[in-house]
C-alpha cells in the first residue's frame, strides 16, 4: 500500500473560504468557529486526515442553543447520528433529500417538517408568492 501524501493539495485547487451566515462547527476541532473564513485548505486537509469529532461538534452546537439541523445530502447518513447524540431534549433533524427522491415534493415535505418544529418558513417563496387559503375546519 502506497503511503498517503504528507502535505495538502495545492491551494489553487481549493476555493477561497467565505463567511457563513449560519453557525459553523468544525468536526476537526469539535468547536464552533467564530470566523468562518478561517477554514481554508489546511483546515479541510486536516479534516480528511484526522478523526472526525462529529459528536463533539453536535454537542457544542446544542450547548449554544441550536436545536434544528438540516441535512442537505442525497443520502442523509448524518441525521441518525445527530438524533442519537445523547441530549437533554430532542433536536429537530430534517433530511431534505433521499436518493432517487429529490424533487419539489420531497423538499417541501422537509420544509413542512422544519415548520412543524418551529422553524420560521417563508411559505410565499415556496408557492411563487401565492400562499393558498387554508380550508375552514371546526376547531
Amino acid at each position: 500500500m502506497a503511503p498517503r501524501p504528507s502535505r495538502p493539495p495545492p491551494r489553487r485547487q481549493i476555493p477561497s473560504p467565505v463567511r457563513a451566515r449560519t453557525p459553523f462547527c468544525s468536526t476537526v476541532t469539535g468547536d464552533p468557529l467564530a470566523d468562518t473564513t478561517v477554514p481554508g485548505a489546511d483546515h479541510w486537509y486536516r479534516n480528511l486526515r484526522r478523526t472526525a469529532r462529529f459528536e463533539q461538534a453536535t454537542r457544542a452546537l446544542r450547548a449554544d442553543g441550536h436545536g434544528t439541523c438540516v441535512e442537505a445530502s442525497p443520502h442523509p447518513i448524518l441525521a441518525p447520528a445527530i438524533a442519537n447524540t445523547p441530549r437533554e431534549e430532542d433536536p429537530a433533524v430534517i433530511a431534505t433529500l433521499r436518493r432517487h427522491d429529490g424533487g419539489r415534493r420531497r423538499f417541501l415535505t422537509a420544509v413542512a417538517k422544519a415548520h412543524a418544529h418551529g422553524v420560521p418558513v417563508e411559505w410565499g417563496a415556496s408557492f411563487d408568492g401565492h400562499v393558498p387559503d387554508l380550508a375552514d375546519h371546526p376547531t
Side-chain angles (χ1 to χ4, degrees):
M1 182 176 204
R4 291 184 174 172
S6 60
R7 59 189 163 121
R11 291 179 190 270
R12 68 182 182 280
Q13 295 177 355
I14 298 174
S16 299
V18 296
R19 185 172 304 281
R21 291 182 285 184
T22 57
F24 183 94
C25 197
S26 171
T27 57
V28 172
T29 65
D31 299 316
L33 296 179
D35 183 2
T36 58
T37 61
V38 172
D42 294 335
H43 173 87
W44 296 114
Y45 183 74
R46 287 192 317 271
N47 191 31
L48 293 172
R49 306 256 318 151
R50 294 188 180 164
T51 301
R53 301 189 185 286
F54 188 77
E55 181 179 355
Q56 184 179 341
T58 301
R59 288 178 185 272
L61 288 169
R62 292 287 299 147
D64 281 350
H66 303 287
T68 302
C69 176
V70 176
E71 183 176 0
S73 69
H75 190 66
I77 59 172
L78 298 178
I82 296 165
N84 290 326
T85 298
R87 68 245 171 239
E88 293 176 12
E89 166 182 335
D90 288 337
V93 182
I94 292 101
T96 57
L97 303 171
R98 295 279 191 261
R99 192 163 296 180
H100 308 297
D101 184 16
R104 179 177 172 84
R105 180 184 181 108
R106 176 75 203 143
F107 178 75
L108 288 176
T109 299
V111 172
K113 183 176 179 182
H115 179 71
H117 283 281
V119 175
V121 173
E122 293 183 31
W123 288 109
S126 299
F127 296 100
D128 298 325
H130 173 73
V131 178
D133 294 329
L134 297 175
D136 289 334
H137 61 279
T139 55

